[in-house]
Amino acid sequence: MTTDGLARVLEAVARDDIDVLLLGRDGNARFVSGAKRLFLACERAFAPGCVVVRATGAVHLLSVGDAGIPPDIPRARLYPITWNPGALMGVIVAMPGVAGARRIGVDGLTPLFDQLIRAFFADADLIDGEALMREVRRVKTSDEIACIRAAVAVAQAVMDEARVVARSGRSEREVAAVAMEAMARHGVTTAAFEPVVVRVDGTTAIDVGVLRDGWEGGLARTEPGTAAPAEHAAAIARCRAGTPVREVAPGGEVCGVGAGYEVLEPDRELEPGMVVSIATWPVRDLVLVTDATPEVLTTAPYVD
Amino acid sequence: MAHPRVREQMAAFGVDVLVLCGENNVAYATGRVARSQEPARAGATRSVAIVTRDDHLVFQPPSLDLDDGARALAAAVADCSGVVAIDEYPSVVAYAALRERAPIDAAPLLSQAKIVKTPDEVERIRAAQRLNENAIDIVRPLATPGARQTDLTAAFFRAIFEFGATGNTVDPIWNIVPPSIDGAGFTLTGHLPFPNPTTDRVLTTGDVMFNDMGIDLEGWASDFGRTWIIEREPDSRQRDQFERWCATCAACERAIRPGSTAADVARAATAANGGARPWFPHLYVAHGIGTESAELPFCGTDLGEEIEDQVVLAQGTILVLEPVIWDDGHGGYRAEEIVVVTADGCERLTDYTYAPYEMSVR
């Protein structure tokens, strides 16, 4: 994963006059650093696992070793795991350019880190760092779109194998098992979510999502294939610059996709370079908003 | 009604309204189990629990990163009077929306509840562990020269879902360890890098592998760890490492009983290892397990003995013992053993072979 994520975050940090950004969410840390740390499923409570410092332009990462850490992050910018949150804050305050920060962006919080941040940074303001990250991540660069395309290719290969198993009449559980197996055989051991397989009246709906090198790809199809509902095609056609998110797919589900799931504000207008997931039961596609006609990244046919 | 131990601790801590935004806490307190998803998707689609002394509500608000979600959360809390405690703030907007209620930290209350598992919960963890072990039975014969780490992951995934796992919780670890720390890769601690991310690395004869995997079964975690040697019997030095690991584990087990402390477990491990701490310096020699694969109590962390001596084990506490024996230049042995504290000692929940090492100490 190589992007200019850090540069864009530093621009936003300067614009919003944020001195230090404390990031707990792994997707945000991946975005600014390109690091591949141990993947854990589930939401985790906030702890500052990645620090962006405006004064130095540096990103610091919580990591005991440098395996999976891009070479452009020097070892001096790794900091170790500690079970003592106060000690962790002490390490962060000692990073060059951090002491005396007045505006601190965070992408989550706990009661304990609320207290500690206030203790270590007297009178500092807490800023919504997730809003900043959401904005920076929303529009993808061509490199990022290439990463998403590569993830989509894996997801589509997984879908092909899952459909073969579904065709043979095996259970929903077995279809999910084969899909997960196929994902790993294609070299991806981290799922965006584990396959959702639902069989209704002989038709099996399958939704898969993978995180390949930290970038998400995914789609939903059926076995046997079924044409996408008319409202799905209409929703895709509305994925044009200027359409507010809430108007894209009134009967379906819309979210952003990039370094994992991205929350989209309902009033946000689509812009070229955004990648959105459009789900209209029983199908789902990833769509790239362009200057002209939207491009469906998930090219697998609905019906073969 | 929410978990009786949660309600008991709410009373003890003087908390009237417990707001739970962490999915493992929601699962523990209410039984509502989330799907296994990458963290951002899990966070955006999370259910929140609001627990009062005699009732609870679980609901899925709009994204808590946005004002609508934060308002929905605040409105639900506004319906309940009294002292509020919260486990985590999903976002700054959620924090701001709840600020006037001045929530206190729910972590002490939750860890006090979770430190004792009910007999039913012990059985759920045992069942999750058994499922994990049954999957490993299928993977173990595949760990041969020429196989890739990702092939083992593929077989593991297939098996756990066929066996009915609710989810996979950690990218499975098949960490090949070199004989020496020197050349193993940089670490801040100077010890071995562990765990390293799984890649498509190909296994070769004689590779020593520390493995570690966690699955979820209906909200309850498992934690499997063994050392394998690829297509080779352990030599006498490796057998000796294994025996020292067994002796360390046995010493921990002798120290574990109601009333002993987390620090007692770490001290027993260190004493059995001739005074050197037999675990990775960035981790611990033992950790708790429940709706999370690693939760309090921790034994042997950098919090130090004084703090860990305040953590008292009780009947029903579950610990995962994970000592590491390391002879630099000659590799080492690591495995994990889940034990539950009984009325006068502890009992193992893990039930798995140490092949290809011998079973010599129990």
Side-chain angles (χ1 to χ4, degrees):
Chain A
M1 160 160 162
T2 50
T3 72
D4 62 346
L6 177 60
R8 283 143 65 203
V9 169
L10 286 170
E11 260 173 51
V13 155
R15 181 201 62 207
D16 293 356
D17 193 23
I18 291 174
D19 299 311
V20 176
L21 198 51
L22 303 178
L23 300 174
R25 302 188 190 197
D26 198 59
N28 287 339
R30 286 201 307 273
F31 182 82
V32 295
S33 70
K36 181 182 180 183
R37 298 184 293 190
L38 180 67
F39 174 88
L40 298 168
C42 305
E43 173 277 339
R44 300 273 149 171
F46 172 83
C50 178
V51 180
V52 177
V53 185
R54 179 184 173 187
T56 60
V59 55
H60 300 255
L61 273 175
L62 187 148
S63 183
V64 169
D66 63 0
I69 308 295
D72 60 342
I73 297 181
R75 290 170 180 177
R77 292 189 187 151
L78 303 181
Y79 57 100
I81 295 174
T82 169
W83 305 93
N84 181 339
L88 179 58
M89 287 306 298
V91 166
I92 290 171
V93 168
M95 292 170 183
V98 171
R102 290 174 305 98
R103 287 171 56 83
I104 298 176
V106 293
D107 65 358
L109 208 56
T110 61
L112 182 58
F113 278 107
D114 178 28
Q115 279 178 25
L116 287 170
I117 291 170
R118 290 179 193 292
F120 278 85
F121 300 93
D123 302 325
D125 291 328
L126 279 180
I127 313 293
D128 187 351
E130 178 57 22
L132 179 147
M133 292 301 299
R134 196 161 61 231
E135 187 203 312
V136 173
R137 290 171 53 178
R138 197 170 57 230
V139 172
K140 273 69 187 172
T141 63
S142 55
D143 284 350
E144 292 168 356
I145 292 165
C147 291
I148 295 170
R149 286 185 201 277
V152 165
V154 173
Q156 295 195 145
V158 169
M159 179 62 71
D160 288 344
E161 297 190 39
R163 288 186 61 185
V164 169
V165 179
R167 200 172 304 150
S168 72
R170 311 241 313 263
S171 69
E172 293 159 328
R173 180 194 281 188
E174 286 172 303
V175 174
V178 167
M180 286 294 285
E181 179 191 31
M183 179 183 77
R185 267 196 292 95
H186 286 282
V188 176
T189 55
T190 52
F193 56 88
E194 290 170 352
V196 179
V197 183
V198 181
R199 184 169 287 157
V200 182
D201 296 336
T203 297
T204 309
I206 306 165
D207 194 356
V208 301
V210 308
L211 274 189
R212 179 190 177 277
D213 286 345
W215 291 88
E216 180 167 340
L219 74 165
R221 293 290 184 268
T222 64
E223 177 57 43
T226 41
E231 59 265 41
H232 188 67
I236 290 172
R238 281 192 292 270
C239 289
R240 287 176 172 270
T243 307
V245 168
R246 70 165 79 248
E247 291 174 16
V248 170
E253 281 177 42
V254 181
C255 68
V257 159
Y261 187 100
E262 295 177 357
V263 171
L264 296 178
E265 302 93 330
D267 294 329
R268 170 74 52 193
E269 290 184 2
L270 298 184
E271 293 169 70
M274 288 173 67
V275 176
V276 292
S277 161
I278 308 288
T280 316
W281 174 263
V283 299
R284 182 170 75 94
D285 284 287
L286 301 192
V287 180
L288 171 64
V289 181
T290 71
D291 292 321
T293 312
E295 179 187 349
V296 180
L297 300 179
T298 38
T299 52
Y302 303 111
V303 184
D304 359 46
Chain B
M1 291 274 254
H3 197 303
R5 291 193 58 84
V6 170
R7 289 185 286 125
E8 199 178 292
Q9 293 304 324
M10 286 173 69
F13 281 80
V15 168
D16 303 297
V17 186
L18 177 62
V19 181
L20 299 175
C21 296
E23 64 179 81
N24 294 318
N25 293 331
V26 173
Y28 176 74
T30 72
R32 173 79 67 96
V33 178
R35 297 170 49 211
S36 186
Q37 313 185 83
E38 59 94 8
R41 186 175 290 266
T45 59
R46 78 178 89 203
S47 292
V48 167
I50 297 183
V51 181
T52 54
R53 300 278 183 94
D54 51 10
D55 200 6
H56 74 274
L57 164 74
V58 182
F59 69 109
Q60 189 183 351
S63 168
L64 291 163
D65 289 350
L66 305 180
D67 291 335
D68 281 356
R71 266 197 298 272
L73 177 62
V77 176
D79 290 341
C80 310
S81 59
V83 174
V84 177
I86 191 166
D87 57 347
E88 61 175 277
Y89 297 106
S91 65
V92 172
V93 288
Y95 167 77
L98 294 175
R99 192 124 193 238
E100 66 176 29
R101 293 296 294 270
I104 63 169
D105 190 355
L109 175 171
L110 288 166
S111 52
Q112 203 53 42
K114 291 176 177 180
I115 196 166
V116 170
K117 268 65 181 181
T118 66
D120 175 59
E121 290 165 355
V122 172
E123 291 316 308
R124 284 163 168 271
I125 291 169
R126 194 196 304 268
Q129 184 67 12
R130 203 62 71 241
L131 192 154
N132 195 332
E133 292 168 357
N134 289 341
I136 291 292
D137 273 339
I138 289 173
V139 177
R140 197 155 45 95
L142 307 177
T144 55
R148 301 174 303 167
Q149 290 179 326
T150 46
D151 293 334
L152 305 187
T153 302
F156 182 73
F157 283 165
R158 170 98 180 234
I160 61 170
F161 287 103
E162 284 188 346
F163 294 158
T166 304
N168 177 67
T169 53
V170 57
D171 186 6
I173 294 161
W174 319 96
N175 204 135
I176 297 176
V177 296
S180 302
I181 289 169
D182 189 26
F186 168 79
T187 60
L188 293 169
T189 58
H191 206 299
L192 200 66
F194 180 88
N196 280 336
T198 290
T199 66
D200 58 0
R201 175 170 177 167
V202 175
L203 310 184
T204 60
T205 303
D207 278 349
V208 175
M209 175 193 283
F210 290 178
N211 54 38
D212 195 338
M213 40 282 310
I215 67 108
D216 172 287
L217 181 59
E218 290 162 4
W220 294 87
S222 70
D223 193 353
F224 178 91
R226 286 289 183 264
T227 297
W228 293 345
I229 308 175
I230 306 307
E231 207 160 77
R232 189 175 283 170
E233 291 298 308
D235 60 24
S236 60
R237 181 131 202 170
Q238 288 169 323
R239 276 199 300 275
D240 175 65
Q241 291 165 352
F242 171 62
E243 284 178 15
R244 282 150 56 207
W245 181 89
C246 290
T248 302
C249 212
C252 291
E253 287 170 275
R254 283 193 298 274
I256 295 172
R257 71 183 78 86
S260 54
T261 69
D264 287 334
V265 179
R267 279 190 290 262
T270 303
N273 192 44
R277 299 173 142 219
W279 62 89
F280 291 121
H282 62 283
L283 295 173
Y284 30 62
V285 72
H287 62 82
I289 186 169
T291 54
E292 275 183 271
S293 59
E295 62 180 38
L296 290 168
F298 295 107
C299 310
T301 68
D302 65 351
L303 283 172
E305 289 188 26
E306 199 178 320
I307 288 179
E308 291 190 353
D309 260 329
Q310 294 165 29
V311 180
V312 180
L313 311 183
Q315 186 171 353
T317 303
I318 299 188
L319 288 175
V320 184
L321 306 175
E322 47 179 60
V324 181
I325 301 297
W326 188 256
D327 291 338
D328 203 39
H330 305 277
Y333 188 89
R334 174 190 187 270
E336 303 192 49
E337 216 56 54
I338 308 182
V339 301
V340 56
V341 181
T342 58
D344 56 359
C346 67
E347 175 200 319
R348 290 190 177 194
L349 298 184
T350 304
D351 180 15
Y352 203 76
T353 175
Y354 297 96
Y357 294 82
E358 289 163 13
M359 185 68 186
S360 57
V361 181
R362 184 48 248 268

